[in-house]
Amino acid sequence: MLCTLGWLGSGILALAQTETSTEEIDLPARRQSVEIMKEHIEMREARLEEVVEDLKQRGDGIDKRIGRVVDSLVKLKDSESSKTRISMLKSEAAHDLMKMIETYQAERRRLVEQAKKDPDAPLESLAALVKKIDERIETRAAQVVKLVESIPGAKDVKKYESAGGGYYGNGWGWRNERISDTWRQNRRDGVQSKKARDEARQALESSISDLERRRDAAAAQLKRNDLTEVEREIQKFELEHVQSLLGIRHKQLVEVSRPAKAPAEAASKDEADSMKGLFEDAVTHLSSDFNDTLRLYRQALAENEKLHALRLNLAAREKWLAENDPDWKGGE
């Protein structure tokens, strides 16, 4: 009997506490919190727009400066006085651009992997960021091909030239000859061209192999029946992107493998040295700006994640009010 009364008493007490806690809910404050949350979201959206605009401006600025450097280099070729200075600058620039591509690719993988792990990831925003990175990668890849194509290969040039003098008589004689400067320069061009083309070709072949693996992996994933909607969208996006890139990479591989016409303008040693100074100065500034751009990509992603969390929070608050507040008008 005592046990029964004890149970009954505790039940009445719990009911009373529940009624009290319900009565103590401040519905006007709950409604106000929704308005505050909306203001918070507007502030975050404005901040995201600022980051994206800053990202666009910095990215466009980098594209223009790299474009100017590349355009300045591709119109020049080495002379007998500059030897291999211009070709080496072109090779260095192509190498730096390929390293930049690798960094972009690593950042892209980070974004895609994060989207795969988070079923609530804001896919539209992530896709826009990934698309922008893809555009930068393709711009850099096209510039690499442009640089490598502008490094002249070896031509059929006579090795020896007359140095004046000589002797002929009584059925025998000799000619005073020397190895021509033109032949020496032609040989230097050939060696440098082969080196640059080999490096670019290896990079493209590696990229093709990687893309083929990604294509096969995405196709295999899409055959699964247990994928979430988010995972399926990501894999479809990846497959379409990879198939498009494979066609571009195969075309670029052909372009860097075939002989190209040498630029018309030959640079002197002084001109080559000046170009080297301009190039090194550009690299210093571009390196800093490139790192800032990567930081902005990550900041934009972080802002997207915060916005997504805030919107989920707002939806939960509005749902609660719709179910518990008879005076709730849906935020009108």
Side-chain angles (χ1 to χ4, degrees), residues 28-245:
R30 291 288 183 103
R31 299 185 204 116
Q32 183 62 25
S33 73
V34 167
E35 299 306 314
I36 293 172
M37 184 66 67
K38 288 180 179 179
E39 291 179 8
H40 193 177
I41 289 173
E42 289 177 2
M43 290 173 59
R44 281 292 178 186
E45 287 174 338
R47 176 58 186 151
L48 177 58
E49 288 178 6
E50 291 174 5
V51 173
V52 171
E53 181 60 28
D54 194 5
L55 180 59
K56 181 179 182 300
Q57 290 180 2
R58 285 180 181 270
D60 290 347
I62 288 174
D63 278 354
K64 288 179 181 177
R65 275 178 286 168
I66 292 178
R68 284 197 293 267
V69 171
V70 171
D71 290 342
S72 296
L73 284 171
V74 298
K75 70 182 182 182
L76 297 174
K77 67 178 180 180
D78 277 306
S79 64
E80 293 169 11
S81 65
S82 72
K83 294 185 170 38
T84 61
R85 287 173 173 82
I86 294 297
S87 293
M88 289 180 69
L89 277 179
K90 291 179 181 181
S91 296
E92 186 177 347
H95 179 78
D96 288 347
L97 291 176
M98 285 188 279
K99 288 294 183 184
M100 190 177 286
I101 288 172
E102 290 177 7
T103 303
Y104 273 131
Q105 288 173 330
E107 187 66 17
R108 186 187 190 279
R109 284 193 295 270
R110 194 185 73 84
L111 293 173
V112 172
E113 288 303 314
Q114 188 165 356
K116 289 179 181 177
K117 293 176 183 177
D118 181 7
D120 296 321
L123 279 186
E124 185 175 342
S125 300
L126 284 176
L129 288 173
V130 169
K131 181 181 178 183
K132 183 59 66 175
I133 290 179
D134 289 338
E135 290 173 359
R136 305 296 185 203
I137 288 173
E138 290 317 297
T139 299
R140 301 289 87 82
Q143 288 167 334
V144 168
V145 172
K146 192 175 181 181
L147 283 164
V148 172
E149 281 189 313
S150 71
I151 301 177
K155 298 177 291 187
D156 187 13
V157 175
K158 289 179 63 177
K159 184 173 182 178
Y160 296 99
E161 64 182 5
S162 174
Y167 174 80
Y168 296 93
N170 298 322
W172 66 276
W174 56 271
R175 291 194 305 170
N176 187 15
E177 293 183 329
R178 66 183 179 192
I179 297 176
S180 73
D181 291 337
T182 301
W183 183 88
R184 293 180 190 275
Q185 183 59 41
N186 183 62
R187 184 173 182 274
R188 286 191 287 263
D189 287 343
V191 170
Q192 196 62 36
S193 175
K194 182 179 184 305
K195 180 181 177 182
R197 289 176 188 279
D198 285 348
E199 183 177 359
R201 189 161 48 244
Q202 289 169 9
L204 288 169
E205 288 172 348
S206 176
S207 175
I208 289 171
S209 295
D210 180 62
L211 288 169
E212 287 174 342
R213 286 193 296 270
R214 286 169 54 188
R215 176 200 60 195
D216 295 343
Q221 286 292 315
L222 284 171
K223 293 179 180 178
R224 291 172 50 183
N225 297 321
D226 59 343
L227 292 181
T228 66
E229 183 178 347
V230 169
E231 290 171 331
R232 188 167 296 279
E233 285 300 314
I234 291 172
Q235 295 300 340
K236 285 173 61 179
F237 176 78
E238 277 292 279
L239 183 58
E240 291 172 3
H241 173 68
V242 166
Q243 288 175 328
S244 172
L245 280 186

Side-chain angles (χ1 to χ4, degrees), residues 16-30 320:
Q17 289 174 337
T18 301
E19 290 175 350
T20 301
S21 62
T22 302
E23 291 173 358
E24 289 176 353
I25 293 176
D26 190 343
L27 291 176
R30 291 288 183 103
W320 188 93

Side-chain angles (χ1 to χ4, degrees), residues 258-274:
R258 65 190 179 192
K261 185 178 179 181
E265 187 176 341
S268 67
K269 178 182 179 299
D270 289 342
E271 289 171 332
D273 289 340
S274 296

